[in-house]
Amino acid sequence: MAGLDPARKTSGKSGHPAIKNGPPRKGPAAVKPATAADWVSGARLRTLPLAVAPVLLGTGAAIVASGPGVYHPVRALLALAVALLLQIGVNYANDYSDGIRGTDAFRVGPARLTGGGVANPRTVLRVALIFFGLAAVAGVTLVILTQYWWLLLVGVVALAAAWFYTGGKKPYGYQGLGEVFVFVFFGLVATAGTTYVQVGDFTTESVLGGVAMGLIACAVLMVNNLRDIVPDKAAGKRTLAVRIGSTASRVVFSIFLLLPFVIAGLFSLIYPLGIFTFFVLLLALPACLITITATSAKEFILALKLTSLAALAYGLLLGLAFAF
């Protein structure tokens, strides 16, 4: 945990096959202090739209349920804080866990904080825990404000799911179950939960909107893992993309990304402004085309960026359709 010595045995707690089956692990013997730019990069800003979008959509659904002119800005902002802080915490936790396992020794893209020897692993872990703690504070504040005490259990489960995605002895992200996590927590829980803390109820708009946001979040994870199929396979990381292969993954990605527009079409029958959500296809369709034909990491990264922006635009436009 304290370093990335190639001779160091890590099969104990991590139990990861990458160490004994793969090449020597990368990273300098002495870790220099990470710069501010390194930490910003480690936060993986391109993933943050996945935290913002469901809160926007859930807030739009809450306005529908509350009635015209009724708003809950403080609760909405607290829900946004929970989502953003948890997402950043997950990103740093993944950096730490993948780094100490040696998975990132197979990376061909930009070096991670831990795996690339940019920051001390313990420091990365501390930063991840700080963001998890801040998310917990925002969540507890929201619970106190709303008096929905059972949401504390949801928060505990969300934090556990965030850690065990790549942490622990048998991380479920290494078993092809990552899409389940992002669908549930970055889709249903984030969207319907945002609505619930504002109006005390789950609505059709929030639940179906949560399904749509969950599918787009799955698309983001899928294209990210498509880029990493070869290194993940070498590291023994059995993501869904590794399990079903490159061709099937490209098809599944397109299904994940395009199905939400069926939901948007249904809502457009009730909310006329919902038709504007179809402008998001200007981002989604190129993302599908690029992913289907991509042959390089650079192309997959472009598709990932387009898909993240599509998530944000979808949540904003459909949320506005609900609100107005």
Side-chain angles (χ1 to χ4, degrees):
M1 185 179 298
L4 295 174
D5 182 358
R8 177 183 172 91
K9 292 184 178 180
T10 57
S11 58
K13 292 186 178 181
S14 68
H16 199 276
I19 305 305
K20 59 182 179 179
N21 294 337
R25 301 170 70 182
K26 295 184 283 189
V31 178
K32 296 180 180 180
T35 65
D38 292 328
W39 288 107
V40 170
S41 177
R44 306 183 197 181
L45 300 184
R46 68 169 64 98
T47 67
L48 298 190
L50 296 181
V52 177
V55 176
L56 294 175
L57 185 50
T59 298
I63 292 173
V64 171
S66 298
V70 180
Y71 305 101
H72 302 279
V74 174
R75 298 184 186 189
L77 287 173
L78 283 171
L80 179 61
V82 171
L84 283 171
L85 292 167
L86 188 60
Q87 175 69 72
I88 295 172
V90 167
N91 291 339
Y92 284 126
N94 291 349
D95 187 302
Y96 167 78
S97 296
D98 284 341
I100 63 170
R101 273 191 166 81
T103 305
D104 283 341
F106 296 83
R107 282 183 56 80
V108 295
R112 296 299 185 199
L113 289 166
T114 306
V118 179
N120 186 289
R122 289 186 181 275
T123 303
V124 178
L125 176 59
R126 290 190 192 101
V127 172
L129 294 177
I130 287 171
F131 277 98
F132 284 151
L134 291 173
V137 170
V140 170
T141 302
L142 190 53
V143 168
I144 293 172
L145 187 63
T146 62
Q147 297 292 294
Y148 300 141
W149 298 102
W150 66 273
L151 290 177
L152 289 173
L153 179 60
V154 176
V156 171
V157 174
L159 287 171
W163 173 254
F164 289 108
Y165 174 58
T166 57
K169 293 182 178 180
K170 294 183 178 180
Y172 63 86
Y174 280 60
Q175 308 302 319
L177 298 175
E179 282 75 9
V180 175
F181 164 76
V182 299
F183 179 80
V184 172
F185 289 98
F186 288 92
L188 291 173
V189 172
T191 309
T194 295
T195 303
Y196 188 86
V197 297
Q198 294 183 60
V199 300
D201 196 11
F202 298 111
T203 66
T204 300
E205 290 82 359
S206 67
V207 174
L208 285 182
V211 170
M213 294 312 309
L215 288 170
I216 299 176
C218 286
V220 171
L221 181 59
M222 177 60 79
V223 72
N224 181 75
N225 290 340
L226 256 168
R227 179 197 64 192
D228 294 334
I229 277 185
V230 173
D232 282 347
K233 187 179 295 185
K237 187 175 182 179
R238 303 282 292 171
T239 63
L240 180 60
V242 170
R243 287 179 176 274
I244 66 177
S246 177
T247 300
S249 295
R250 294 167 197 255
V251 174
V252 170
F253 165 82
S254 300
I255 293 172
F256 281 154
L257 188 52
L258 296 180
L259 269 182
F261 292 96
V262 175
I263 295 175
L266 293 175
F267 278 130
S268 296
L269 299 175
I270 304 171
Y271 301 99
L273 293 180
I275 196 70
F276 288 103
T277 308
F278 285 92
F279 279 109
V280 182
L281 285 170
L282 294 174
L283 295 168
L285 290 176
C288 289
L289 180 61
I290 292 169
T291 299
I292 289 172
T293 60
T295 58
S296 68
K298 185 177 181 179
E299 291 171 296
F300 284 124
I301 290 173
L302 175 58
L304 188 154
K305 291 178 180 178
L306 289 173
T307 308
S308 294
L309 289 174
L312 182 60
Y314 186 100
L316 175 62
L317 291 176
L318 191 55
L320 287 173
F322 291 158
F324 299 102

